[in-house]
Amino acid sequence: MALDHAILDVTPPILSLDVERGRIHQFAVAIGEKNQVYRDRDAALAAGHPDVLAPPTFLFGLELENSDVFGDLAAHGVDLGNVLHGEQRFRYFADVHAGDRLQFESTYVDAYSKASGTLDFLVRRTTVTRGGTVVAELESVSVIKNPGSNS
């Protein structure tokens, strides 16, 4: 079933999330990041940071595990077994550290089809702020396979 473009009218709730030192450490280990500023508070302090530094892609993971993007897709007729990660982009304006409290405000900004309707694409943008100041902008593209579509 093709993606219902009414998903563009969905306004996900703003997420307010705390950045935890242990979560950053786990993420750094998972991605193979060995720089100690991402793993050890003392190393981060010695490098001039106020606490452990979040790796660049950490914000995407933090948002994904706390948002209901898959619920939004399912509510708009998408079989989650046909969803692929298309791409992601980031723009950073400030470092993020353990102890920060961030707000994630997301919108679905575009939906389009390719390959005669066998592939739908959904673009989601998120602005991340700390105390009202933008620290990052995230964009992800989900690809939805429509195996039965030929229109």
Side-chain angles (χ1 to χ4, degrees):
M1 181 175 158
L3 175 65
D4 178 357
H5 286 210
I7 196 168
L8 297 173
D9 296 328
V10 172
T11 303
I14 296 173
L15 300 173
S16 188
L17 303 171
D18 294 319
V19 178
E20 299 173 358
R21 187 179 306 130
R23 186 71 182 98
I24 292 174
H25 180 89
Q26 290 174 333
F27 187 84
V29 170
I31 64 171
E33 179 57 66
K34 302 216 183 297
N35 188 328
Q36 292 301 304
V37 299
Y38 302 110
R39 294 179 173 211
D40 179 74
R41 185 174 187 269
D42 291 337
L45 292 174
H49 296 283
D51 207 314
V52 174
L53 180 64
T57 57
F58 177 79
L59 296 178
F60 179 75
L62 186 62
E63 182 206 19
L64 187 61
E65 71 184 30
N66 289 284
S67 71
D68 194 23
V69 65
F70 297 117
D72 292 342
L73 289 169
H76 288 82
V78 174
D79 176 352
L80 297 180
N82 290 328
V83 177
L84 304 169
H85 171 68
E87 65 179 78
Q88 59 192 37
R89 296 184 192 117
F90 307 92
R91 290 180 63 203
Y92 295 96
F93 305 102
D95 290 337
V96 172
H97 299 93
D100 286 349
R101 182 165 189 82
L102 304 175
Q103 285 69 49
F104 293 74
E105 186 170 0
S106 301
T107 57
Y108 297 100
V109 297
D110 196 12
Y112 54 93
S113 297
K114 289 186 176 181
S116 299
T118 58
L119 296 174
D120 285 329
F121 295 79
L122 178 63
V123 181
R124 177 181 167 107
R125 285 196 189 125
T126 301
T127 300
V128 183
T129 59
R130 177 183 49 225
T133 300
V134 176
V135 296
E137 294 173 342
L138 319 174
E139 183 174 290
S140 65
V141 179
S142 298
V143 181
I144 300 115
K145 297 188 303 182
N146 296 313
S149 177
N150 56 0
S151 59

